[in-house]
Amino acid sequence: MPLLPKVARAALHFWEEPCISGKNGSGTVFFTGCSLKCAFCQNYDLSRANRGKVITPLELADIFKILEDKGAHNINLVTPTHFVKEIVKAFEIY
């Protein structure tokens, strides 16, 4: 059984360097379940607290489209590596 992604937040994110977020924001998807346990993680509440919603690759592809429709300059995946197989499926659908 595939490990389905768990997303804590997906929204336009304006608080990175201007070359990343531009004027419209970066289409950021924060995944949960990170196992790195970095001592100074700035995204602990989202990446490690196991909050969020389990979604399918189709739902993730829909999130990418919604972010694009909102004017996102890019799709920015935060702590995604443990869901890479399902993310690839989502991009194939997208």
Side-chain angles (χ1 to χ4, degrees), residues 6 8 31-34 41 43-52:
K6 190 169 190 179
F31 294 91
T32 192
C34 181
C41 178
N43 294 313
Y44 177 86
D45 288 343
L46 298 177
S47 66
R48 295 244 332 267
N50 206 27
R51 296 186 317 187

Side-chain angles (χ1 to χ4, degrees), residues 11-52:
L12 294 177
H13 191 70
F14 298 93
W15 304 283
E16 299 292 339
E17 295 83 0
C19 62
I20 295 172
S21 59
K23 63 182 172 84
N24 296 338
S26 179
T28 307
V29 181
F30 290 90
F31 294 91
T32 192
C34 181
S35 62
L36 291 178
K37 298 182 171 91
C38 300
F40 299 103
C41 178
Q42 67 181 11
N43 294 313
Y44 177 86
D45 288 343
L46 298 177
S47 66
R48 295 244 332 267
N50 206 27
R51 296 186 317 187

